[in-house]
Amino acid sequence: MTDNAAHPSSDAVALAHRIGELLATIRPAEAELGALLVEIEQRGAMELFGYRSVARLLEHLGDVPKPAAERWVKRARLVNPGRNLDGSPIPALAPATGAAARAGRLSNPMIDVITDVLTRVPAEHRLSAEAHLLTFAEEAGHKQVAGLGARILAHLAPDGLAPHDSEPVVPARELFLRRKRTGVWELSGRFDDETGKRASALLDALAERRTGDEGPDFRTTPQRYGDAFSDAVDLALNSPDLPMQAGERAHVMVAVSSADLKSGVGKATLGDTGTMTAAEARLHACDAMIIPAVLGAESEPLNLGRLRRLISAGLRRALFLRDRGCAFPGCHRPPRHCQGHHIRHVRHEARVYPIGGARPPTLDRHSGSVKLRAA
């Protein structure tokens, strides 16, 4: 070994000292940021900032990749106390580790190693195990501390943790649905294994390729599963067991002017924020509940008509018996996936109606006036 290697220069010592100073500044700041993220999560990231999770908030504000943001939040939860929904405190898994992190004595890999060990240590030995790990961390790296953690686990539970005889834990299920400014909706979530298996079986059945008269089904796998999810939503909305919402069955409100509905040109309001074309609104109006309304110059309601449905229950049963599914060429969806629609719109049909009432839509197969079409 040369003398230069054995005795670092003053410049090297100064550089190493500066690295230590910067780490002593960065590490407490990272620990404080973690505590702040836990506080935001407890108060509600959606209520405070409009983000569905605190990890997504960190991802956008800090330009942090999603996996890194999620690891940061997970680490912060383990070393910082929280609160239950009723306001009662939730103690941190590793409070002493959190204090050492805020003092700048631990790197993020070291925190991850210690908390990973403590999650597997029985609760009655967790305090002493954390003290041993932190003492060793003062003079060793995170890989050496991981080795000590493995020896602690082998000593405390050589055969693994004993199974609990308590009641089954409530499955963890989370779902996030967010509308972007472009009108596209993002869906993400996580479920227990049983729920995931049932959802997979349902989507697999609905996402099968449909090879019909027009040729093979060229949709990609994500496209087929996206269509399958849309079909599953329609099936749920049509279920008679669906709970009531504000005194009515769950539904989506579409508002369109009478002129746009007749012409098929223009826009319709979908729900409270979305839009759809008037042509799409006409397509859905055939098999929807319609409430005619007359508005004044200031958009004040002057008259509100009665609820009516163009495709009656009896007519739908007749279409079910006649078409046995979607009448569009090449589509083989079953009747429960279909809605009643005018193939040739009634306003284009010249007819003479009897005095005293309007004539209902024809069920003649050759006229093609009304058929079942896939939703």
Side-chain angles (χ1 to χ4, degrees):
M1 182 178 295
T2 64
D3 292 340
N4 290 337
H7 303 284
S9 65
S10 59
D11 289 343
V13 173
L15 291 173
H17 180 69
R18 182 56 180 163
I19 290 176
E21 289 179 340
L22 292 175
L23 289 176
T25 303
I26 293 172
R27 289 173 177 174
E30 290 180 335
E32 184 179 354
L33 175 59
L36 186 62
L37 293 174
V38 171
E39 180 183 353
I40 293 174
E41 186 174 54
Q42 296 296 320
R43 296 175 60 181
M46 177 63 71
E47 290 76 9
L48 291 175
F49 298 98
Y51 286 87
R52 67 170 181 258
S53 69
V54 70
R56 180 56 64 91
L57 171 66
L58 178 61
E59 178 185 352
H60 287 181
L61 293 184
D63 193 24
V64 179
K66 182 179 179 181
E70 292 176 344
R71 287 196 300 271
W72 206 318
V73 174
K74 179 181 178 181
R75 181 185 305 121
R77 293 193 193 109
L78 295 174
V79 299
N80 290 282
R83 291 191 305 273
N84 289 306
L85 294 177
D86 58 0
S88 58
I90 302 176
L93 173 77
T97 303
R102 289 187 290 274
R105 300 199 304 269
L106 301 177
S107 66
N108 287 334
M110 183 70 77
I111 298 172
D112 293 339
V113 166
I114 295 175
T115 54
D116 179 65
V117 172
L118 295 180
T119 56
R120 293 179 286 167
V121 169
E124 61 271 20
H125 299 292
R126 195 168 291 158
L127 187 62
S128 61
E130 183 181 19
H132 282 88
L133 292 171
L134 288 174
T135 301
F136 191 47
E138 294 178 358
E139 56 186 28
H142 69 277
K143 293 183 179 180
Q144 291 76 23
V145 173
L148 174 61
R151 294 193 294 272
I152 290 175
L153 291 173
H155 174 72
L156 294 177
D159 298 325
L161 297 179
H164 293 283
D165 296 329
S166 58
E167 293 293 326
V169 179
V170 178
R173 300 169 186 157
E174 292 182 332
L175 186 67
F176 305 100
L177 183 62
R178 185 173 72 95
R179 183 183 185 274
K180 302 180 71 174
R181 294 186 182 92
T182 58
V184 176
W185 289 75
E186 288 186 346
L187 176 69
S188 63
R190 59 181 182 178
F191 304 96
D192 59 282
D193 195 30
E194 178 187 353
T195 303
K197 292 292 186 183
R198 289 190 283 119
S200 178
L202 172 63
L203 294 178
D204 285 344
L206 296 175
E208 291 184 352
R209 294 193 180 275
R210 304 187 185 101
T211 301
D213 302 334
E214 301 299 319
D217 188 348
F218 291 108
R219 293 176 300 163
T220 64
T221 299
Q223 288 173 339
R224 289 190 289 112
Y225 275 86
D227 292 340
F229 180 79
S230 178
D231 291 342
V233 171
D234 287 335
L235 291 174
L237 287 174
N238 291 328
S239 171
D241 300 325
L242 195 67
M244 302 293 284
Q245 187 180 43
E248 298 180 288
R249 290 186 58 187
H251 63 280
V252 176
M253 181 74 74
V254 177
V256 60
S257 69
S258 177
D260 290 346
L261 185 62
K262 291 179 180 178
S263 66
V265 179
K267 289 286 186 179
T269 301
L270 179 64
D272 53 352
T273 57
T275 60
M276 66 190 310
T277 65
E280 292 172 329
R282 283 181 57 183
L283 188 66
H284 291 287
C286 291
D287 202 15
M289 294 292 188
I290 299 178
I291 304 177
V294 179
L295 305 181
E298 302 297 331
S299 296
E300 70 275 14
L302 302 179
N303 185 28
L304 196 64
R306 293 177 178 272
L307 190 68
R308 59 190 177 90
R309 180 183 284 276
L310 296 182
I311 305 298
S312 64
L315 180 55
R316 183 176 177 84
R317 285 192 291 269
L319 294 172
F320 181 103
L321 294 173
R322 188 193 72 178
D323 293 335
R324 297 293 183 180
C326 182
F328 190 82
C331 183
H332 302 285
R333 298 196 186 192
R336 67 178 181 276
H337 290 180
C338 301
Q339 297 177 357
H341 290 302
H342 290 274
I343 303 301
R344 182 184 179 191
H345 201 274
V346 290
R347 76 184 186 92
H348 296 305
E349 296 186 6
R351 292 187 182 174
V352 177
Y353 294 104
I355 298 176
R359 180 179 172 185
T362 179
L363 289 177
D364 181 18
R365 173 178 289 277
H366 301 290
S367 72
S369 175
V370 179
K371 287 185 181 293
L372 282 176
R373 293 291 297 274

